[in-house]
Amino acid sequence: MNSPNRTDHVSGTDSRNAQVPDDPGNAGDGDGRTDAPSPPVARPLLQRLLRLATGLFLLAATVLLGCRALGSDGITPVPQLLAFLPWLLVPSAVALLLTALLRWRTGVVWALVVIGAGGWFLRPFDTEAASASASHGRAGGAAPVTLKVLTSNVEYGLATRGLIDVIRDEKPDLVFVQECEFRCVELLDGLIPAADYPYRNVVKASSAEGSSILSRFPLTDTARIPGLLAMPGSTARVGDRTVRLQLAHPLPPIPGMVDDWHTELGRIRTFAAAQKAADAPLILAGDFNATRDHAAFRAVLDAGGLRDSALLAGAGRTPSWPTDLPRPLGAQIDHVLVSDDFSVRSARFLDLADTDHRSLLVGLELR
C-alpha cells in the first residue's frame, strides 16, 4: 500500500523538475552547447550591382516597347532610342543571361517578355515585304515605264563629288539631294551636264537648308512643304502619266527639337494624305530623320497609302545612318516612298565619302 505522503513527495519533485527553464547554452550537442541561428548572408556587392543595372535596363526597355506598342514617340530620349529599336534585342539577350546567372526568376521572365515584344515588332517588316512581293509583277494597262530614283544626303555639300560619281555610274532618272548648299549647287551645275539632267528644282541655301531635285523628265515646280530645311516639290511627266515628286527633309528629333520634328513630319503626312485623295502617282523621297519604328513616320505611310521601297526590295533593315557604324549597325532614316502605282524592282544603299548618310538607289516600274 502506497503512502499518500510519499506520492505527494514524488509529484512535487517532478513538478519542480518540469519548471526548470532550459538553458540555451546547455542544449544541442553532446557537451551541452547549442549554436545560435546564423544571420542571413548578404549578396556580394557585384551581384547586387549587376541586378540593379539589369533591372534598370529592363525598366527602360519596357517603357520604350510600351511607347512603340501604344503608337507614341514620347519625349526625349524615347524618339532617339526608337530609331535603334531592333538593336534592343542584343542587350536584352545579355540581360536574360545575367538574370539566369543571378538566379533572379522575376528578372528571367521579365527579360523573356522584353525579347518577345522586341521580336514581335520586327515581324511587320518581313511580313509586309513578303506580301508585297506578289505585287511586283501586277498587270496594269500599257507596258510599265522603268525608272531609277536616287536620294542622297550629302552633309552640308561635303559629299557632292561622291554623289556626282554615283550619278555618272548609275545614271538615275530622278535625283533627290538634301543638304545641298551653294557649293553643292555649283558642282552639280558644272559637272553634271544639262543635257543629261535638263530639268532641275533647286533651293539655294546655306548649310543643311539647301535641296535639289534633278530629273530627266520634264518638271513643273509646285509648292514646297514648309520646314526649316528646304523640301521642294515638282510634277514630272513620266511616260503618259503625271507623277508628283516631293523631297522630304524634316528636322531631326534631337533633344529640344522633338516638337519641331513632330510638326514637320505632320506637314509631310498632310501632304501625303492630300496626294492620296488626288489619286496621283507619288514619289516621296529623302532624309526623313525617322524609321518605321516611329509613329510619326508610320502616320505618313498610312495617310498617303505609301509603301517603303527598301522594305519591298528586301532591304527593310539596312541602315542608312550613321555611316561611322559598320553594317548592319545603325538606323534606316533615308527612304523612297511610293504610291501603289509603282512596283519596286530593286533597292541598294550606297556608301559615299564625307557624309554620315548612305545614299539609296531604287529601281521602279510605273504601271
Side-chain angles (χ1 to χ4, degrees):
M1 184 174 181
N2 296 327
S3 169
N5 292 336
R6 184 172 182 177
T7 301
D8 292 341
H9 173 74
V10 171
S11 299
T13 303
D14 290 343
S15 175
R16 286 192 302 272
N17 292 337
Q19 292 173 1
V20 175
D22 291 337
D23 183 357
N26 294 332
D29 53 17
D31 58 3
R33 290 176 300 176
T34 300
D35 294 333
S38 301
V41 178
R43 292 177 180 270
L45 177 61
L46 178 59
Q47 288 189 20
R48 283 181 284 156
L49 291 176
L50 285 174
R51 182 165 174 168
L52 175 62
T54 305
L56 290 175
F57 165 76
L58 291 174
L59 177 61
T62 301
V63 172
L64 192 65
L65 290 167
C67 289
R68 177 64 171 87
L70 295 173
S72 170
D73 291 324
I75 60 174
T76 298
V78 173
Q80 296 84 0
L81 293 176
L82 279 173
F84 301 96
L85 186 66
W87 299 108
L88 182 68
L89 292 177
V90 176
S92 297
V94 174
L96 176 62
L97 177 62
L98 287 175
T99 55
L101 293 176
L102 293 171
R103 299 181 181 181
W104 180 22
R105 294 182 181 179
T106 301
V108 169
V109 174
W110 195 358
L112 286 172
V113 171
V114 168
I115 291 173
W120 174 261
F121 289 123
L122 292 177
R123 288 184 65 255
F125 288 79
D126 299 331
T127 301
E128 185 175 340
S131 64
S133 62
S135 70
H136 288 194
R138 188 171 58 185
V145 178
T146 61
L147 64 155
K148 292 198 290 186
V149 178
L150 176 68
T151 180
S152 182
N153 182 320
V154 292
E155 193 176 5
Y156 311 121
L158 298 175
T160 304
R161 290 188 180 274
L163 172 64
I164 290 171
D165 291 339
V166 170
I167 292 174
R168 288 171 174 170
D169 293 340
E170 302 292 346
K171 298 178 173 57
D173 299 285
L174 297 167
V175 183
F176 296 81
V177 190
Q178 303 91 57
E179 301 193 17
C180 187
E181 42 72 77
F182 297 116
R183 181 58 177 162
C184 170
V185 174
E186 292 177 5
L187 289 172
L188 292 176
D189 286 343
L191 300 178
I192 297 296
D196 294 339
Y197 293 90
Y199 309 102
R200 308 186 185 198
N201 184 352
V202 178
V203 179
K204 295 181 179 180
S206 62
S207 188
E209 298 175 20
S211 295
S212 297
I213 300 175
L214 282 62
S215 173
R216 296 184 184 274
F217 306 108
L219 292 183
T220 301
D221 295 349
T222 58
R224 306 176 194 171
I225 295 178
L228 181 61
L229 310 177
M231 292 188 278
S234 299
T235 58
R237 193 67 182 170
V238 181
D240 61 353
R241 303 194 68 180
T242 299
V243 178
R244 182 66 188 267
L245 311 177
Q246 180 60 52
L247 185 147
H249 195 197
L251 290 167
I254 61 177
M257 295 175 58
V258 172
D259 289 342
D260 297 322
W261 172 72
H262 267 293
T263 297
E264 295 194 357
L265 276 172
R267 292 169 183 165
I268 296 173
R269 180 187 67 241
T270 301
F271 163 82
Q275 295 308 303
K276 181 180 180 181
D279 196 25
L282 171 63
I283 299 175
L284 177 58
D287 171 12
F288 285 78
N289 281 309
T291 73
R292 288 176 57 91
D293 288 309
H294 288 111
F297 180 76
R298 296 195 303 275
V300 173
L301 294 172
D302 294 340
L306 301 174
R307 300 178 301 160
D308 194 326
S309 297
L311 170 65
L312 299 185
R317 285 299 188 186
T318 303
S320 65
W321 173 89
T323 54
D324 289 341
L325 297 177
R327 301 189 193 192
L329 302 177
Q332 189 179 114
I333 62 176
D334 298 86
H335 307 273
V336 174
L337 309 183
V338 296
S339 60
D340 60 8
D341 305 272
F342 295 91
S343 294
V344 179
R345 305 173 65 203
S346 62
R348 285 188 293 139
F349 286 90
L350 310 174
D351 288 286
L352 270 66
D354 302 318
T355 177
D356 56 351
H357 288 255
R358 293 184 177 94
S359 300
L360 172 58
L361 180 66
V362 172
L364 301 175
E365 287 184 352
L366 173 62
R367 294 183 296 275

